Amino acid sequence: MFRFANPNRFMNWSGKLLPWCAAATAILLIVGTYLALFVAPPDYQQGEAVRIMYVHVPAAWMASFVYGVMAASSAVALIWRHPVADIAAQQSAPLGAGFTLLCLVSGSLWGEPMWGTWWVWDARLTSVLVLFFLYLGYIALVNAFDEPTRGARAGAILALVGVVNLPIIKFSVDWWNTLHQPASVFRIGAPTIAASMLWPLLIMAVGFTLFYVTLLLVRMRSALMAAKLRALRLQEFQAA
Amino acid sequence: MSAFRLLIARDLRLAMRQGGDAAMVVAFFILTVVLFPFGVGPEPELLQRIAAGIIWVTALLAALLSLEKLFQTDYEDGSLEALSLLPLPLEFQVLAKCVAHWLVTGLPLTLVAPLLALLLHLDPAGYGALMLGMALGTPILSLLGAVGAALTLGARRGGVLLSLLVLPLYIPVLIFGVAAIEASIGGFGARPHLLILTALLVLASGLVPFAAAAALRQALE
């Protein structure tokens, strides 16, 4: 882990990794979308609307996953003062907020024909909405200080406090009797989803994950470059 | 533990002398609740239906009002730095500050709540759950608020930011506080909801001091 603490070394290997990640993302998302839209069968109850699931479910997984990444990097940044982990956490936040919004909007579009309502106040939906607000609060807090390191430190603590929400999201469908259906893929025993639907879903999920990794690397690289640029300008200033 | 008690006494004395913090919070609580009959109409059936929600939501907002000053004045006049040099760990100091904050805001809110419930025609069966729920829930509000107040020390637009950070974390307290009242009115018994509130209180008082103390330390650096 400490080998990656050097920003120059990070720029080196991330530059080499980036094209591969981008290519894999493009292939997986194209294949996954094709399978989801044309190959996977329509559901016997939901009809064609089930295809929204191939976007909704990966987005929902990513919403929690990105928060997990953010919290883990925040912990690493707080404990070992790891500069690259700090940047990883900060640059993950807008991506996570985007995935959460996509999850909420796609779920809402699915809910209208299926449940007959755009929104219900059940435990799963409410806890994901709280997750969205946590992302927004984190972004606002990081940017609220004149001194960037203070913002980073305060944000890291907030990210760790917000972790309590993740198990609530995961288990909300088991603890409360909600309208949202319980898990059908990650559960004890075999998945209850048919294989013809599971495969497109998994390909989409891996595609979403790589999409996140690609965007994260791009954002981290540009943040590091911006910081270096600022330092160079300051040097020029002081020399003049 | 005498330092712990002294710290509580100090905060209470400051609150008394600066005057009216508790009075302001209670006044805000009453005034805001009184706005609702004007807003939604004075029909007793309607008010009775939404009384629990109004009281709890307004209590959250009232608790939020006074949070900004929890560490702010100590931070600005430098006494926070002096306090951080005490042998008493910062975690316990946070806890002492939360106790003092609860005594000045949460306790008066809890005591006024039944009066407001009367104004809103709350079902008599709900009074016990309201009082118990408020007694268990308002300390959680002070504790969670302490994390937000410590994190936003020295931030630009600290007050607005504080509400953005803290209100999402308040949602569970609101849910179980209202559910306890609804359950006891419906005849199911408020016990499970009150037990969950107790669990939340225990968890918060165990974990919050560490988070808030970490936030204070990075603010003092």
Side-chain angles (χ1 to χ4, degrees), chain A residues 58-80:
Chain A
W61 284 341
M62 291 312 292
S64 304
F65 175 72
V66 174
Y67 197 91
V69 171
M70 209 171 94
S73 339
S74 295
V76 171
L78 271 184
I79 297 169
W80 290 289

Short mmCIF file of all heavy atoms in Angstrom, two decimals, chain A residues 58-80:
data_model
loop_
_atom_site.label_atom_id
_atom_site.label_comp_id
_atom_site.label_asym_id
_atom_site.label_seq_id
_atom_site.Cartn_x
_atom_site.Cartn_y
_atom_site.Cartn_z
N PRO A 58 -27.14 -2.71 -10.94
CA PRO A 58 -25.71 -2.35 -10.87
C PRO A 58 -25.49 -0.96 -10.28
O PRO A 58 -24.55 -0.76 -9.49
CB PRO A 58 -25.25 -2.40 -12.33
CG PRO A 58 -26.20 -3.30 -13.00
CD PRO A 58 -27.51 -3.10 -12.32
N ALA A 59 -26.35 0.00 -10.62
CA ALA A 59 -26.18 1.35 -10.06
C ALA A 59 -26.33 1.32 -8.55
O ALA A 59 -25.58 1.99 -7.83
CB ALA A 59 -27.20 2.31 -10.68
N ALA A 60 -27.29 0.53 -8.06
CA ALA A 60 -27.49 0.44 -6.61
C ALA A 60 -26.29 -0.21 -5.94
O ALA A 60 -25.83 0.24 -4.88
CB ALA A 60 -28.76 -0.35 -6.32
N TRP A 61 -25.76 -1.29 -6.56
CA TRP A 61 -24.56 -1.92 -5.99
C TRP A 61 -23.41 -0.92 -5.95
O TRP A 61 -22.71 -0.80 -4.95
CB TRP A 61 -24.15 -3.14 -6.84
CG TRP A 61 -25.00 -4.33 -6.61
CD1 TRP A 61 -25.81 -4.57 -5.54
CD2 TRP A 61 -25.14 -5.47 -7.47
NE1 TRP A 61 -26.44 -5.77 -5.68
CE2 TRP A 61 -26.05 -6.35 -6.85
CE3 TRP A 61 -24.57 -5.83 -8.69
CZ2 TRP A 61 -26.41 -7.58 -7.42
CZ3 TRP A 61 -24.92 -7.04 -9.26
CH2 TRP A 61 -25.84 -7.90 -8.63
N MET A 62 -23.25 -0.18 -7.06
CA MET A 62 -22.14 0.78 -7.12
C MET A 62 -22.31 1.89 -6.08
O MET A 62 -21.32 2.36 -5.52
CB MET A 62 -22.05 1.41 -8.51
CG MET A 62 -21.61 0.47 -9.60
SD MET A 62 -20.16 -0.46 -9.15
CE MET A 62 -18.95 0.82 -9.11
N ALA A 63 -23.56 2.30 -5.84
CA ALA A 63 -23.79 3.37 -4.87
C ALA A 63 -23.20 2.99 -3.52
O ALA A 63 -22.51 3.78 -2.87
CB ALA A 63 -25.28 3.66 -4.75
N SER A 64 -23.45 1.74 -3.08
CA SER A 64 -22.89 1.29 -1.80
C SER A 64 -21.40 1.02 -1.91
O SER A 64 -20.63 1.35 -1.02
CB SER A 64 -23.58 0.00 -1.34
OG SER A 64 -24.94 0.18 -1.26
N PHE A 65 -21.01 0.40 -3.04
CA PHE A 65 -19.61 0.00 -3.21
C PHE A 65 -18.69 1.22 -3.19
O PHE A 65 -17.66 1.24 -2.52
CB PHE A 65 -19.46 -0.77 -4.52
CG PHE A 65 -18.05 -1.12 -4.87
CD1 PHE A 65 -17.37 -2.10 -4.16
CD2 PHE A 65 -17.40 -0.47 -5.90
CE1 PHE A 65 -16.07 -2.42 -4.48
CE2 PHE A 65 -16.09 -0.78 -6.22
CZ PHE A 65 -15.41 -1.76 -5.51
N VAL A 66 -19.11 2.28 -3.92
CA VAL A 66 -18.28 3.49 -3.98
C VAL A 66 -18.17 4.11 -2.60
O VAL A 66 -17.10 4.58 -2.20
CB VAL A 66 -18.85 4.49 -5.01
CG1 VAL A 66 -18.09 5.80 -4.96
CG2 VAL A 66 -18.78 3.90 -6.40
N TYR A 67 -19.28 4.07 -1.84
CA TYR A 67 -19.19 4.62 -0.48
C TYR A 67 -18.20 3.80 0.35
O TYR A 67 -17.42 4.35 1.13
CB TYR A 67 -20.56 4.66 0.21
CG TYR A 67 -20.51 5.59 1.40
CD1 TYR A 67 -20.84 6.92 1.26
CD2 TYR A 67 -20.06 5.15 2.64
CE1 TYR A 67 -20.73 7.80 2.32
CE2 TYR A 67 -19.94 6.01 3.69
CZ TYR A 67 -20.29 7.33 3.53
OH TYR A 67 -20.16 8.20 4.57
N GLY A 68 -18.23 2.48 0.16
CA GLY A 68 -17.28 1.62 0.87
C GLY A 68 -15.85 1.97 0.51
O GLY A 68 -14.99 2.09 1.39
N VAL A 69 -15.60 2.18 -0.79
CA VAL A 69 -14.25 2.57 -1.23
C VAL A 69 -13.86 3.89 -0.60
O VAL A 69 -12.74 4.07 -0.09
CB VAL A 69 -14.21 2.68 -2.78
CG1 VAL A 69 -12.90 3.30 -3.23
CG2 VAL A 69 -14.39 1.33 -3.42
N MET A 70 -14.82 4.83 -0.60
CA MET A 70 -14.56 6.15 -0.05
C MET A 70 -14.21 6.06 1.44
O MET A 70 -13.25 6.69 1.90
CB MET A 70 -15.82 6.99 -0.23
CG MET A 70 -15.59 8.45 -0.37
SD MET A 70 -17.14 9.22 -0.83
CE MET A 70 -17.74 9.70 0.76
N ALA A 71 -14.98 5.25 2.17
CA ALA A 71 -14.75 5.12 3.61
C ALA A 71 -13.40 4.44 3.87
O ALA A 71 -12.63 4.86 4.74
CB ALA A 71 -15.88 4.34 4.26
N ALA A 72 -13.09 3.38 3.08
CA ALA A 72 -11.83 2.68 3.29
C ALA A 72 -10.66 3.61 2.98
O ALA A 72 -9.69 3.67 3.75
CB ALA A 72 -11.78 1.43 2.40
N SER A 73 -10.74 4.35 1.87
CA SER A 73 -9.63 5.27 1.57
C SER A 73 -9.53 6.36 2.61
O SER A 73 -8.43 6.80 2.93
CB SER A 73 -9.78 5.93 0.19
OG SER A 73 -10.60 5.23 -0.64
N SER A 74 -10.68 6.80 3.14
CA SER A 74 -10.64 7.82 4.18
C SER A 74 -9.92 7.30 5.41
O SER A 74 -9.12 8.02 6.03
CB SER A 74 -12.05 8.24 4.57
OG SER A 74 -12.68 8.87 3.49
N ALA A 75 -10.21 6.03 5.78
CA ALA A 75 -9.55 5.44 6.94
C ALA A 75 -8.05 5.38 6.70
O ALA A 75 -7.25 5.77 7.57
CB ALA A 75 -10.12 4.06 7.23
N VAL A 76 -7.65 4.92 5.51
CA VAL A 76 -6.22 4.83 5.19
C VAL A 76 -5.59 6.22 5.23
O VAL A 76 -4.50 6.41 5.77
CB VAL A 76 -6.03 4.19 3.79
CG1 VAL A 76 -4.59 4.31 3.34
CG2 VAL A 76 -6.45 2.74 3.82
N ALA A 77 -6.30 7.22 4.69
CA ALA A 77 -5.76 8.57 4.66
C ALA A 77 -5.61 9.14 6.06
O ALA A 77 -4.63 9.83 6.37
CB ALA A 77 -6.66 9.47 3.82
N LEU A 78 -6.58 8.83 6.94
CA LEU A 78 -6.53 9.36 8.30
C LEU A 78 -5.43 8.69 9.11
O LEU A 78 -4.72 9.34 9.86
CB LEU A 78 -7.86 9.11 9.01
CG LEU A 78 -8.95 10.16 8.89
CD1 LEU A 78 -10.13 9.75 9.75
CD2 LEU A 78 -8.44 11.51 9.34
N ILE A 79 -5.31 7.36 8.96
CA ILE A 79 -4.40 6.61 9.82
C ILE A 79 -2.95 6.81 9.39
O ILE A 79 -2.07 7.07 10.19
CB ILE A 79 -4.78 5.11 9.84
CG1 ILE A 79 -6.18 4.95 10.43
CG2 ILE A 79 -3.77 4.33 10.66
CD1 ILE A 79 -6.76 3.58 10.25
N TRP A 80 -2.70 6.67 8.06
CA TRP A 80 -1.32 6.73 7.60
C TRP A 80 -0.98 8.01 6.86
O TRP A 80 0.08 8.09 6.25
CB TRP A 80 -1.03 5.52 6.70
CG TRP A 80 -1.00 4.24 7.47
CD1 TRP A 80 -0.03 3.86 8.35
CD2 TRP A 80 -1.95 3.18 7.44
NE1 TRP A 80 -0.36 2.62 8.88
CE2 TRP A 80 -1.51 2.18 8.33
CE3 TRP A 80 -3.13 2.97 6.73
CZ2 TRP A 80 -2.22 1.01 8.54
CZ3 TRP A 80 -3.83 1.81 6.94
CH2 TRP A 80 -3.38 0.84 7.84
#
